[in-house]
Amino acid sequence: REENDRLRVELKQAALESEKLSKELNEAKAESEALPFFEARVNELLEELKKRDLEVACLNDEIMELMGNYKAKLADSLLWDDDDHEEGPTNENDEKNIDDAG
C-alpha cells in the first residue's frame, strides 16, 4: 500500500515536471523562431549606426575646417586692423584723403 502511494506521488510529480518541460520547450521554440528576426534587426541597426558615425565624423571635419577658416580670417582682419592703426597715413596724400573723408 505504501509503495503504491509513493509511486502515485512520483507519478504526479513526473507528470507536473513533464508538463513544465513541455511548456519550456514550446517557449524555447517560439523564441528560437524569433531569433533570426532579432539578429537581422540588430544588423540593420548596426549598419545605421555606422552610417551615422561616418556622418558625425564628416560633420566634425567640416566644423574643424570652418573653425580654421574663421580663425584665419579673424587673424587676417586683426593683422590688417593693427597695420591700419599702428602705421597711420604713410604719406601726405593719405593724410589729405583722411581729412577730406572726415
Side-chain angles (χ1 to χ4, degrees):
R1 171 96 180 134
E2 289 177 20
E3 182 73 22
N4 285 341
D5 289 340
R6 187 179 60 78
L7 289 174
R8 281 188 196 129
V9 169
E10 285 182 21
L11 181 61
K12 277 186 179 179
Q13 288 176 344
L16 290 175
E17 187 68 23
S18 174
E19 210 175 290
K20 178 183 170 188
L21 290 173
S22 178
K23 186 186 246 185
E24 285 180 17
L25 177 63
N26 289 334
E27 288 174 1
K29 281 182 183 178
E31 289 173 357
S32 69
E33 289 171 1
L35 185 62
F37 167 77
F38 288 119
E39 287 175 341
R41 185 67 179 134
V42 165
N43 287 331
E44 289 172 11
L45 293 172
L46 287 173
E47 287 300 316
E48 186 175 335
L49 182 62
K50 286 179 188 176
K51 289 178 186 175
R52 290 188 183 205
D53 284 345
L54 181 61
E55 185 178 343
V56 166
C58 290
L59 290 172
N60 280 333
D61 289 345
E62 287 180 26
I63 289 170
M64 296 308 286
E65 184 179 335
L66 289 171
M67 287 176 64
N69 290 343
Y70 172 76
K71 287 179 182 178
K73 286 183 181 182
L74 181 62
D76 286 346
S77 69
L78 290 174
L79 289 174
W80 286 106
D81 287 347
D82 288 348
D83 289 346
D84 291 345
H85 294 297
E86 288 177 8
E87 290 181 8
T90 56
N91 60 38
E92 291 179 17
N93 288 335
D94 287 343
E95 206 170 275
K96 287 180 185 177
N97 289 338
I98 292 172
D99 290 338
D100 291 343

